[in-house]
Amino acid sequence: MSASVSSPLLKRIPPGLWTALAWFAAAVEPIVEYVVMPPRPTHSLNFPRDGLDSLGARALLALAFVLVLAGSAALRRSTTPAYALVIAGTVASTVAWRQDEIPPLQFLAVDVALCYIAAIRSRRSSLTAAAGALGVLTCYFMMRLLMGDDSGIAPEPFLALTVVIAWLIGNSVHQARAHTEELYARAAAQAVTAERLRIAREMHDTVAHSIGIIALQAGAAARVVETQPARAREAMLTVEKAGRETLSGLRRMLGALRQADQNQEGTGQDHGRAPASLHPAIGLADVERLAATATAAGVRVEVRRQGKHRPLPADVDLAAFRIVQESVTNAVRHSGADSCLVRIEYRADELAVEVSDRGKGGGTGTGYGLIGMRERTALLRGDFTAGPRPGGGFLVAVRLPIPTMTEAEEKARAI
């Protein structure tokens, strides 16, 4: 059962509707109060009762309503022309009422439209829109000065302040959206980089181990091909098996990568999310098979398990196996030892893995094996140590914390 989270009602209402509601409320109120309703002792200089008596005034007011309605409807599609229509309708309304100033409540619609423009358009476009509103207010203010109107405090400076506030609010929303998009893009780039590093580690661990076994078996076959043909044939069969397994693993990895790319191109979603597993589930259960392969290559690998065996999280299980695989590969290829010991201990809250040999310290090669093992351990917040042993040989020791599972999670894993 899926649940969809709906946005608040205020966010679902289009900005054009807010603009139209603000303007129409301010425009209809004086018509009802000073034209439709019976005369009252009070009167208004801005809205004279006979202001709409002429047919031209009514037509001009009707035109103002049409202009604002059209601008509000087109505000989301064509912001700049729609904004101009709202301002034009506001000016036409004042001309119809023979006013020398814009009523503050009616100018609120212009502020709403300006705030929307500043939130979705570039700063240059929003500043141009704000300059247009300030220019209209300046014209009204200059007209009042030229006509010598001293009937009261001029509202234009206060309306200009509302324009600035509306632009600041919209610009802050624009900056917040830009910052959020930047964070999403940065997170996606980091996810892509992390995924590339993970793929590099997987390919190194898979290919390096198999190629090491192949090289040893091929060398052994070349040395005994004339004296011991049966042993040479067995070594070449091992080479064939290791080569096929490596090729199969690479095909699965590349196929998973292609499928992930196609899914992202087709849906345009899930950016920054890691693709599906690049290979079948691999873990410590495969250590015995790994030991048998290494033993066939000439290095006897002994596996010792301690503690209560239990299912591990997939990331811990895979990381532990890859660390054992890389350590055994180093022992086979570089140490010169004839045996290797793998200890796996299941503790209460962690997994301890040790791989040791009595060779020449083969883990100190110049490849990326130790770097990959250290990175895997660090990603799981574990401890990693590797270096020569005091009595000779090389030791890799890893401790990986095991997250505690609730009773419900244990039942789900058991199912």
Side-chain angles (χ1 to χ4, degrees):
M1 181 177 179
S2 60
S4 58
V5 180
S6 59
S7 59
L9 178 62
L10 296 179
K11 293 184 178 180
R12 283 184 287 170
I13 297 178
L17 182 57
W18 285 116
T19 303
L21 289 176
W23 195 92
F24 276 63
V28 171
E29 189 274 334
I31 298 177
V32 174
E33 183 175 359
Y34 298 107
V35 178
V36 178
M37 298 295 292
R40 293 184 299 174
T42 59
H43 65 281
S44 173
L45 297 176
N46 291 330
F47 300 99
R49 182 165 294 276
D50 59 347
L52 299 179
D53 288 348
S54 65
L55 183 61
R58 295 180 180 180
L60 191 59
L61 185 61
L63 176 62
F65 275 86
V66 172
L67 291 176
V68 174
L69 182 61
S72 301
L75 187 60
R76 177 168 290 180
R77 298 189 303 272
S78 304
T79 54
T80 301
Y83 179 71
L85 290 177
V86 173
I87 293 181
T90 304
V91 173
S93 174
T94 60
V95 175
W97 282 100
R98 301 195 301 271
Q99 295 172 310
D100 58 356
E101 64 183 36
I102 299 179
L105 292 179
Q106 201 164 11
F107 198 77
L108 180 62
V110 178
D111 293 336
V112 172
L114 175 62
C115 183
Y116 175 71
I117 292 176
I120 66 169
R121 298 294 297 274
S122 63
R123 178 172 296 184
R124 181 176 180 180
S125 299
S126 62
L127 286 176
T128 302
L134 294 176
V136 171
L137 293 176
T138 302
C139 291
Y140 273 89
F141 184 72
M142 296 301 297
M143 183 177 63
R144 288 167 59 88
L145 293 179
L146 294 175
M147 294 177 60
D149 187 2
D150 57 352
S151 57
I153 300 175
E156 286 78 16
F158 300 99
L159 295 180
L161 182 60
T162 64
V163 170
V164 174
I165 294 175
W167 183 87
L168 290 176
I169 294 175
N171 185 64
S172 64
V173 174
H174 180 81
Q175 290 180 341
R177 288 180 176 178
H179 181 64
T180 302
E181 293 176 358
E182 181 182 357
L183 291 179
Y184 278 131
R186 189 180 304 172
Q190 292 176 351
V192 170
T193 302
E195 184 62 19
R196 287 178 177 175
L197 292 175
R198 188 175 75 89
I199 294 172
R201 288 194 299 267
E202 293 297 327
M203 294 190 68
H204 174 272
D205 295 341
T206 301
V207 176
H209 172 74
S210 300
I211 296 300
I213 299 298
I214 290 173
L216 288 176
Q217 293 286 3
R223 288 190 296 269
V224 300
V225 65
E226 296 181 356
T227 58
Q228 302 180 29
R231 184 176 177 183
R233 183 176 181 274
E234 181 181 354
M236 294 310 297
L237 290 176
T238 304
V239 169
E240 180 186 7
K241 180 181 178 182
R244 291 183 182 276
E245 290 180 353
T246 303
L247 182 60
S248 177
L250 291 177
R251 284 176 177 173
R252 288 194 301 267
M253 185 179 297
L254 294 177
L257 289 175
R258 290 195 184 104
Q259 182 179 3
D261 291 339
Q262 291 175 0
N263 292 338
Q264 288 189 357
E265 291 176 0
T267 61
Q269 298 176 354
D270 295 339
H271 293 292
R273 183 179 299 177
S277 178
L278 301 179
H279 42 67
I282 297 177
L284 293 178
D286 301 290
V287 170
E288 280 73 12
R289 178 176 57 85
L290 173 67
T293 304
T295 301
V299 178
R300 184 174 59 87
V301 178
E302 180 183 358
V303 180
R304 297 180 183 177
R305 296 178 183 266
Q306 298 177 352
K308 182 180 179 182
H309 176 71
R310 61 185 185 276
L312 298 172
D315 52 352
V316 176
D317 202 14
L318 175 61
F321 173 78
R322 290 304 189 194
I323 291 172
V324 172
Q325 183 185 48
E326 179 62 29
S327 301
V328 172
T329 300
N330 287 340
V332 171
R333 296 177 61 185
H334 305 296
S335 70
D338 57 356
S339 65
C340 178
L341 176 60
V342 178
R343 295 177 181 269
I344 302 173
E345 182 179 357
Y346 295 86
R347 298 175 181 173
D349 56 351
E350 66 180 9
L351 176 71
V353 176
E354 291 185 0
V355 181
S356 59
D357 62 69
R358 292 287 182 178
K360 303 175 183 178
T364 59
T366 58
Y368 296 96
L370 291 179
I371 297 176
M373 288 188 283
R374 184 172 286 105
E375 288 179 352
R376 287 183 183 276
T377 307
L379 289 175
L380 297 176
R381 302 181 184 276
D383 295 328
F384 174 84
T385 56
R389 301 175 62 185
F394 199 83
L395 172 66
V396 174
V398 177
R399 291 190 296 121
L400 300 176
I402 301 177
T404 57
M405 294 188 300
T406 62
E407 182 178 355
E409 291 175 339
E410 292 179 352
K411 291 181 179 179
R413 182 179 290 273
I415 296 174

